[in-house]
Structure formats: structure tokens, C-alpha cells
Amino acid sequence: MTLDESHPLLPSMHLDELLAELQSRLATVLATRDRVHALLEAVVSVGSDLQLELVLRRIVETATTLVDASYGALGLVGEENTLVEFIPVGLTEAEIATIEHWPHGLGLLGLLIKEPEPLRLTRISDHPESYGFPPGHPPMGSFLGVPLRVRNEVFGNLYLTEKRGGAEFDEEDEAVVIALATAAGVAIENARLYEETRRREIWLQASTEVTTSLLSGDDVDEVLCQVAARVRVMAGADVTTILFPVGDDKLRVMITDGCDELVGVEVPLAGSFSGMAFTAAEPRMVNDLAEAGLQICGLPPIGPAAAVPLGIGHSVRGVLALGRRQGRLPFTPAMLRMLHAFAGQAAVALELAEARRDAERLGLLEDRDRIAKDLHDVVIQRLFAVAMTLMSTTRLVDHPEAEARLQHGIDELDETIRQIRSTIFAFQAPRVSADPGLRTRIITLVENARVRLGFMPGLRMDGPLDNTIPDPIADHLLAVLQEALSNVVRHAKASKTDVTIHTTPDNHVILTIEDNGIGLPANGRRSGLRNLNDRATQLGGTFTATPLPNGGTRLTWAAPFR
């Protein structure tokens, strides 16, 4: 072939090159079009859900697909510039199980938190800020990190590693992820606002239910149990406790949900997490209770914890405390604010419920006082007048049987007057105490003896026992009554027992127990009777045990009081 014959090939070669270049550029345009379409679809997909957890995971999955990355993750930044949650994509369950712990936000990840700007690397280990991977973490080379901003606030960071095929992330990949991050910020904000609104509705509904229950007269302890259960579910806690002060230096767990073993546990006001919230009357929150040196007895290590006072200022009634296991997400400031508002409304409802009960109690006492006055001023006076009339009439009656009947009627009227006076004393307001009054304790003790005796003992109480007998004397009186009834059960073989307790004008309380049993044995053991005598002597009183004419025994125990 001659040189002239080869010249026609040159234009053909130039044409092939131009066609190849045109084809390459068309392919680039098509790829760009496809990536833009994929980005638009990704933006629509990311913004199509309102559940924050699903939105965050979809963002990571979409980012890895757009830039063809093997692994992706989203790290949420906490208040102290640490990673409070890590959402990985691309790792199998087996790979996740071998990782000792998720990153804490140190090294290269910490650099993105401190300096929230896009970062693209050929190899992670070559960067001077590289901190290494946690034990069990798979090796990774290429890296692309982009911050996620929500209203100019860094919400977290997108981490993408190991571009498939061994390639590096390029500027186009970075631009695509930045665009996705911008759209993701809007989606995250929408999801957060939706969840916050929904959460507020749930808290408001719970607060309304608690207030309605308390003001409708439901048992306070049952309502507090309901509060603890609702708070644990709504706040996603593992354990919830309600503590109330005991004395001046302790708090005691009264209500719990999630760990029944905590009921009754006491913590000091000084140095305990709940004590700090109670003393300062302000909500408290820590990301790790164990690291803060504050432990909850009987539980696995508690990580995130929150404590809010029940009430404000000097009217704090207790503390609502809740915790999550170590490794779980901490409570957010928004959650703490809602907890505080809920606890404040519950405290107000408790105050109103207590005021309502006090008003009802006051009304009851006023009614009892009115009835007592009517009995004293009207009924007793009329009965007394009738008795006096009958007594004056006996002198006019000559028939012995008629006189005896009149005297019996007078005695019955005297007994009725004594019983009404005893009822008046029982109507008087009891002592302000969490313990039942002396009358109630005496009745309970006598009723409990019924099963052992086989019959119900008779009981009569005269005088203001609840309001005048001091606690030390009352304790001795109850112990003597218990011992005396036990003696009747063990030794008397009685079919009838009568208990009488009354006070005298010279400030003595007298206990009398009579039975129709076999009486006191001549040579029997007297250790029980000696104990009763010792108690009377110790108080400056007296004790006697005498046989009755028709069989049986009368025990009389008396003690002075002031």
C-alpha cells in the first residue's frame, strides 16, 4: 500500500475518536441524570415517614446506595459533643456482635463533631486524627463524612466508608451526600416536631387521667402506681420509682414499676441522685448514673437517669426518678421538661386530693361533734331527768315488786347514760397520727381473741381513751389486755369473758377482765400475773386478781396518767 492510499484512513480515525468521546460524555450525562433521579427519589423517600427512628435509618441506607459505599452510619451528637447513638448499615448481625463497643466520638469522628465540615479521605488510617477502630470492628479504608444540620444545629454526622470496587469517593459523591444531608435535615426536623407533638399529647392525656383519678377519690397509692407505670412506658425507662421523705435526711422508695425489690429502699438526701433533685427542687439528668458514682440498689448498672421533684420550692412532696440500663440512649432535655411538667401537675393533683380529703374529714368531725353535743345536751339530760323522776317515785310505791321494777329501770337508765357518754367520747376527734387510736387497737385485739376463745368477749369502754391516754400507758394497757386474754385462753376454760376499760376523774385508767372459768389454781404458776403486776408497779399503779363468788376470776389493772 502506498502512502497516498493510507490518507483516507486519517479522517476515519478522528471520527472514531470524536464518536467515542461523544459516547463517553453521553454516558456521563446519563449517569448524572440517573444519579439526579436517584437523589430526587431519595429525598422523597427520606421525607415520606414521620417516625424519627425510621427516618434516620433510611437516610443512612439511601446515602450508602447513592455513593455505592459498603458501610454507612449515622452518629447522633449529644449535648457534650459525644456520640449518644450510632446507627450502622452494611454490617451483618454476626459482625455487629463481635464489635466490643460503638465509637464514643473520639479521633476522626470527634474531629467531625468539633469541626462540622465535609471530610473526604482516601484512607482513614492516614489521617493524623485517626484513633483506630474498636476491637472486633471490620477494617475500613476510604471515608466520606458529612454533617447533618437541623436549623443550623449539628444533629449528627453521616459516615460512609469503603466505596465498592476499591475506588475513592470523589467530589460528585461529596456533593450528592451534602444535598441528601440538606434534605435529611428537613425530614429530621419534621419527624422531631411530629414526635414531640405526639409525645406532648400522650403526656397531657396521662396528666389528665391522673388528675381525674385523684380528684374523683381513687386511692392515692393506686394512682401513684399508675403514674409510675405510665411514666416508664412513655419515657422508655427500665425502672421508675417514686420516693418520699422519711425524717429529715432520707428518702424512701414507696412506689416502683419495673423492679419490685426497690420498694422500701432508703437513700440519703445528701449525695444521692434523687436527694439532689429533692433538695434543689429542680430536675436532674445524667447520662451514666454509675459513672457519676450514684448507684441504685438491687439493679444492674443504670446508665441514663432522670429525677424530677414532685412539687416546687418548699412544697416538694417527693421525687419521681427513672433510669435506663447502661448502653441505652440518655434522656433528652425535652423529655426532662415534660417529666417535670407532668410531675408538677401530679403534685398539684395530690395537693388538691389531700385538701379534699381534709375537707371531708373536717365535715365528718363537725357532724360527729354536733351529734355528740346533741346526745350530751338533749338525750342524756332527758334520760337523767327521767331517772331522777323515777327515783323520787320509788318513795311513793309501797309494793316491793313494783319498787324493785322501778329500781331496775333506774339502773338501766344509768347504764344507758354511761353507754351514751362512752359513745360521745368515741365521737370526739382522734389524735392527729398515722396510727389508729387506742379504741380501735383495743377492739382489734379483742376481736382477734375471738378465734382462740371460741366466742366473742364482751367489751365496754368509758371515757376519752383516744385523747387522754399517753402512748407509753396505752402500750402497757394493750400488753396487759393481750396477756390477760391469753391466760383466759390457756387456763380458764371459760365460756364467757367481759372486758371493761374506763377512766376516772382522778386520771386513772382501769382495765377489768372477768371470766366464768375454773378460777385461779391454788398452787399454779403465777408468772403471767407477775408480769401484769410488774407493769402496774412500774407505772405507779395497782393490780389485783380475785376469784368471783360464782366461779371465775376478776383481774383489775389500774395505772395513773397525766
Side-chain angles (χ1 to χ4, degrees), residues 35-264:
R35 176 166 279 194
V36 170
H37 286 171
L39 179 60
L40 292 175
E41 291 176 359
V43 169
V44 174
S45 174
V46 165
S48 63
D49 208 308
L50 288 176
Q51 293 187 17
L52 184 58
E53 185 176 351
L54 294 178
V55 169
L56 297 179
R57 179 162 294 278
R58 187 168 293 172
I59 290 171
V60 187
E61 293 173 346
T62 303
T64 56
T65 301
L66 285 175
V67 298
D68 205 21
S70 300
Y71 306 105
L74 193 154
L76 302 186
V77 179
E79 291 184 330
E80 299 177 357
N81 287 335
T82 59
L83 292 180
V84 295
E85 186 175 5
F86 202 75
I87 303 173
V89 169
L91 295 172
T92 64
E93 293 292 334
E95 289 174 326
I96 292 175
T98 60
I99 300 175
E100 186 173 302
H101 62 80
W102 291 121
H104 297 304
L106 304 174
L108 198 58
L109 303 189
L111 177 64
L112 271 174
I113 295 174
K114 292 181 293 185
E115 301 176 7
E117 298 293 337
L119 180 63
R120 184 160 42 91
L121 300 172
T122 302
R123 191 168 188 80
I124 296 176
S125 58
D126 293 340
H127 196 280
E129 294 285 341
S130 179
Y131 189 78
F133 298 102
H137 197 286
M140 296 180 180
S142 55
F143 176 84
L144 175 60
V146 174
L148 279 173
R149 286 184 171 86
V150 177
R151 290 189 177 181
N152 297 323
E153 172 191 351
V154 176
F155 178 80
N157 290 302
L158 264 175
Y159 308 116
L160 304 164
T161 61
E162 285 294 291
K163 189 175 178 69
R164 289 185 174 89
E168 301 177 9
F169 295 109
D170 54 25
E171 293 181 0
E172 189 174 336
D173 293 330
E174 182 177 328
V176 168
V177 176
I178 290 174
L180 177 65
T182 302
V186 176
I188 291 171
E189 178 66 8
N190 290 338
R192 287 171 67 180
L193 291 174
Y194 171 77
E195 288 203 354
E196 185 175 347
T197 301
R198 182 171 173 272
R199 195 181 299 118
R200 286 181 184 275
E201 291 178 356
I202 294 174
W203 284 99
L204 184 60
Q205 179 184 359
S207 179
T208 302
E209 290 176 359
V210 169
T211 303
T212 302
S213 298
L214 285 171
L215 297 183
S216 62
D218 292 352
D219 182 71
V220 173
D221 287 343
E222 292 182 1
V223 177
L224 291 177
C225 289
Q226 176 188 350
V227 168
R230 291 295 297 270
V231 166
R232 188 169 78 90
V233 173
M234 291 186 298
D238 293 306
V239 61
T240 302
T241 60
I242 299 178
L243 304 92
F244 291 100
V246 179
D248 296 328
D249 59 348
K250 290 181 181 179
L251 292 172
R252 179 182 296 165
V253 177
M254 300 297 189
I255 306 293
T256 183
D257 190 78
C259 184
D260 294 339
E261 293 79 5
L262 284 176
V263 174

Side-chain angles (χ1 to χ4, degrees), residues 326-337:
Q326 275 188 333
R328 294 194 58 195
L329 281 176
F331 297 101
T332 62
M335 176 70 71
L336 190 65
R337 287 191 296 270

Side-chain angles (χ1 to χ4, degrees), residues 24 199 264 293 413 488 499:
S24 175
R199 195 181 299 118
L413 284 173
V488 174
V499 177

